[in-house]
Amino acid sequence: MGATARGVSWLSRTTAVSRGALSRRDSAVVFSLVTLVYLLGFLLAIGDLNVRPEAGLSMLVVDDPLSRMFEPGPGPFAYEGIATIDLIVARYLFSPVNLAIGLGLSLLVGLNLALSYLAVTQPKSCGIGAGTGVLASVPALVSGTACCAPVIFLVLGIQASAALLSVFVWLLPIGVLLLLGSLAYVATKVDPTALGASSTVD
Amino acid sequence: MTERNEPRLTRRALLATVGVSTAALAGCTGSGSEGPYDAADDGSDADRESDDGGTESGEEGPPTREAVVPLDHDLESFNQNVLSGGVSQDGIPSIDDPEFESVDEVDGRLDDGDPVFAVAVDGEARAYPQSILVWHEIVNDRVGGLDLAVTYCPLTGTAIGFERGGTEFGVSGRLVNSNLIMYDRAGESWWPQVLGTAIDGPREGEALIEHPVIWTTWERFRDVYPDGAVLTERTGFSRDYDRDPYGSYNPKRDYYEDDGTMFDTMHDDDRHGHKEVFIGARDEDGALAVEKERLREDRLVEHDVGGVPHLAVYGPDLDTGYVYRNPEGASIEVDGEEYLVDGDPYPADDLPLERLNAFDAMWFAWVAFYPDTEVID
């Protein structure tokens, strides 16, 4: 089998298994919970969402939000917010582009974990690689940038070298690639017939 | 990571002595550089003398003067030590249309001990809360008829004002010695804030004209300038101004208190803790750092810089220090809240001597830029 055919086969299998996972109640619940939790975690990590016990209820929209929303934010692959929203216990800096990026990542992580759940719980499961999705979800979480420096360096108190900073810039795309690779890998560990997946897989 | 947009111009011959002048220095030059600043920089009427004797070279670029302070690092070394902070150019957006409110309108937005940066020009006083500038680092403003860029670098704890002429400054996203590198939007020269001198670009080797920015507290500003104005949070950007990503100054904690630094510097000196606050000043004689706590206690300290007597006095109203050159060796004494100069009383900020621009700085940053600095500690 050539590389292209193998790629198509992986894609077909991953798609089929993913559909199967979403059609099952238990794995769909895992998918939904993980997607939501990861999205919240991502927004917290990049600083768009902050816990604020006495936030109250208010919203302040910036001037010219349509152009502002596509302006780059502090970090790589980060964009400006267009509204500051106080939601009783949290302050959310609403950036449509950041939210879209976060949602895309969260869906990938949710699928990864839903498939991992199936790989572990299926009778024929070998369990190998079930944790790859969790590991793959980490890079994007640490990609946030504060004013002058990556948040993770501030949190860990480590000194940032030029080499580290060079890697840092690519954390989010690396995270996406890892999540896609992990998804394809975990899909091979799930028995599609047990899910009633209709697509042909080999 | 964003690379600079303009092509690199041929580097001019490296000056034997470069650095930062202060507003008090005489003998200034306009820009003779080629490049984007040339449009109105032909010695015509477009060139005008600035308030303190500097020359504003053209409508576009910031007014500069020839740099005169000997530096311990040459410009190439500064360039080699430039790092990306992981932030794109203008990823930290400057405030270009600042809005202000009166002291009375601030209400509970600021606590008494919160740091603000005070600027006074021609009877007009403005406070720039640190809680806002930590997210923007530069405010392109006009105060008392003077076009000023009020700048703040959180990592080095430095707030400095620069005359900006007809241009604006932005945040390049690059750092040297952990210090903000500004760029001017006319020609995109790179200006490290503490240095105030362009290390690259068409204005390489030229020094900006500085204006005093006093690091004080909201309570002190309010008391000294009850008719002053305060920068509002209506900046045009969505930021959480109640949260400082580096920690807190009121009370002091996290990055502002810890001894750790974020980035390598060109020079390290362990005589003091990295974040210990010094009042820094420099002129053609050299650089001087005065430990702020020592100045609070002693009120008056004197020291030779490059063989020339200098002194620093404490201003209790704003809790700051003022540095003067005293080449004639005038007699200075503390007299209550004022100072006697050759027997006559003067306030700390207005001694009849040549005043240097002085500003708070974290020790590690000051000594990284000026390793041969004289130190009063």
Side-chain angles (χ1 to χ4, degrees):
Chain A
M1 188 185 294
T4 307
R6 205 160 39 238
V8 171
S9 172
W10 273 344
L11 183 62
S12 172
R13 181 188 184 101
T14 303
T15 306
V17 170
S18 298
R19 279 185 184 152
L22 295 179
S23 66
R24 278 177 52 140
R25 185 183 174 86
D26 54 351
S27 49
V29 168
V30 171
F31 168 79
S32 302
L33 282 177
V34 170
T35 298
L36 180 64
V37 169
Y38 190 87
L39 179 60
L40 291 175
F42 178 79
L43 294 175
L44 280 166
I46 65 170
D48 279 11
L49 184 64
N50 294 287
V51 176
R52 188 76 76 244
E54 298 174 358
L57 266 176
S58 67
M59 183 167 78
L60 180 67
V61 180
V62 303
D63 293 337
D64 197 11
L66 287 179
S67 62
R68 181 73 82 216
M69 64 187 276
F70 294 109
E71 292 178 8
F77 305 102
Y79 293 84
E80 280 295 338
I82 60 169
T84 303
I85 304 171
D86 283 342
L87 289 167
I88 304 172
V89 293
R91 174 166 291 173
Y92 177 43
L93 310 178
F94 173 49
S95 161
V97 181
N98 288 354
L99 181 63
I101 290 172
L103 196 57
L105 283 165
S106 304
L107 291 172
L108 277 175
V109 174
L111 269 180
N112 262 281
L113 271 291
L115 294 196
S116 297
Y117 162 79
L118 288 174
V120 170
T121 55
Q122 277 182 337
K124 291 182 180 177
S125 162
C126 62
I128 297 172
T132 56
V134 176
L135 291 177
S137 70
V138 173
L141 278 183
V142 297
S143 66
T145 297
C147 295
C148 284
V151 170
I152 190 66
F153 295 164
L154 285 168
V155 170
L156 299 180
I158 55 177
Q159 198 166 62
S161 66
L164 270 177
L165 286 165
S166 301
V167 172
F168 174 82
V169 172
W170 296 103
L171 276 178
L172 198 136
I174 287 171
V176 171
L177 287 177
L178 285 175
L179 284 168
L180 288 171
S182 167
L183 188 65
Y185 175 69
V186 178
T188 66
K189 304 298 172 190
V190 177
D191 178 6
T193 58
L195 299 174
S198 57
S199 177
T200 304
V201 293
D202 50 11
Chain B
M1 196 179 315
T2 303
E3 294 299 327
R4 303 176 45 178
N5 298 325
E6 88 290 5
R8 293 289 175 104
L9 300 182
T10 305
R11 193 180 303 279
R12 295 193 303 170
L14 189 63
L15 297 174
T17 58
V18 295
V20 181
S21 66
T22 70
L25 296 179
C28 20
T29 64
S31 168
S33 60
E34 68 277 20
Y37 296 101
D38 278 354
D41 188 18
D42 55 4
S44 68
D45 290 341
D47 284 2
R48 56 199 170 93
E49 195 163 317
S50 71
D51 291 350
D52 64 358
T55 300
E56 297 188 5
S57 43
E59 294 178 359
E60 298 296 324
T64 58
R65 60 179 70 233
E66 187 176 340
V68 294
V69 177
L71 293 186
D72 300 303
H73 310 294
D74 60 35
L75 296 185
E76 190 55 41
S77 298
F78 283 114
N79 276 295
Q80 287 168 356
N81 283 276
V82 169
L83 282 174
S84 165
V87 180
S88 59
Q89 180 167 296
D90 287 327
I92 298 169
S94 60
I95 300 174
D96 301 330
D97 296 303
E99 293 186 25
F100 293 85
E101 61 191 4
S102 71
V103 163
D104 294 336
E105 290 172 307
V106 169
D107 202 14
R109 178 162 68 88
L110 294 169
D111 291 334
D112 286 351
D114 287 351
V116 302
F117 310 127
V119 173
V121 183
D122 203 16
E124 187 174 344
R126 289 185 172 177
Y128 304 81
Q130 182 268 347
S131 57
I132 297 177
L133 261 66
V134 72
W135 292 103
H136 298 280
E137 303 194 358
I138 296 174
V139 182
N140 289 299
D141 201 1
R142 184 174 178 82
V143 188
L146 184 64
D147 289 318
L148 270 184
V150 178
T151 69
Y152 167 59
C153 177
L155 292 181
T156 55
T158 44
I160 309 173
F162 298 102
E163 292 189 23
R164 62 185 179 87
T167 190
E168 294 174 340
F169 285 93
V171 179
S172 71
R174 304 302 178 103
L175 305 164
V176 62
N177 292 326
S178 286
N179 185 232
L180 153 72
I181 297 180
M182 313 178 294
Y183 79 95
D184 67 86
R185 292 184 176 140
E188 299 214 13
S189 293
W190 278 3
W191 312 84
Q193 183 216 29
V194 166
L195 212 56
T197 299
I199 60 170
D200 200 6
R203 289 297 184 89
E204 182 182 296
E206 294 178 32
L208 295 169
I209 298 169
E210 297 180 6
H211 191 88
V213 173
I214 306 294
W215 184 308
T216 187
T217 62
W218 166 232
E219 180 181 33
R220 290 173 187 275
F221 177 86
R222 197 180 55 206
D223 290 346
V224 174
Y225 301 111
D227 297 325
V230 185
L231 181 69
T232 73
E233 295 179 357
R234 295 186 295 274
T235 60
F237 294 90
S238 173
R239 293 289 186 277
D240 186 357
Y241 294 115
D242 292 336
R243 183 178 72 90
D244 184 325
Y246 302 105
S248 165
Y249 271 106
N250 185 28
K252 192 179 274 193
R253 65 167 184 263
D254 297 340
Y255 176 83
Y256 304 126
E257 185 182 43
D258 299 342
D259 198 53
T261 56
M262 286 292 300
F263 302 95
D264 276 336
T265 56
M266 299 167 74
H267 178 80
D268 195 20
D269 187 321
D270 61 5
R271 279 180 287 173
H272 293 278
H274 283 143
K275 309 291 174 58
E276 200 168 326
V277 178
F278 279 72
I279 303 281
R282 57 274 197 267
D283 62 11
E284 69 269 35
D285 303 317
L288 173 66
V290 183
E291 190 180 13
K292 194 167 185 178
E293 193 54 44
R294 161 89 188 271
L295 188 60
R296 280 194 189 102
E297 291 170 6
D298 290 2
R299 303 281 309 278
L300 166 67
V301 292
E302 298 182 76
H303 198 86
D304 281 3
V305 180
V308 178
H310 285 62
L311 61 92
V313 293
Y314 178 65
D317 50 356
L318 290 174
D319 183 38
T320 191
Y322 303 93
V323 177
Y324 294 88
R325 193 166 182 263
N326 185 22
E328 305 301 323
S331 160
I332 317 288
E333 290 176 56
V334 178
D335 179 32
E337 297 226 330
E338 295 193 315
Y339 296 86
L340 296 176
V341 182
D342 289 334
D344 296 323
Y346 295 92
D349 64 347
D350 197 25
L351 305 192
L353 298 169
E354 191 177 307
R355 180 174 153 189
L356 312 187
N357 189 38
F359 52 86
D360 289 27
M362 293 176 184
W363 165 252
F364 84 92
W366 182 263
V367 81
F369 277 102
Y370 302 108
D372 285 345
T373 183
E374 297 289 341
V375 181
I376 302 177
D377 51 9

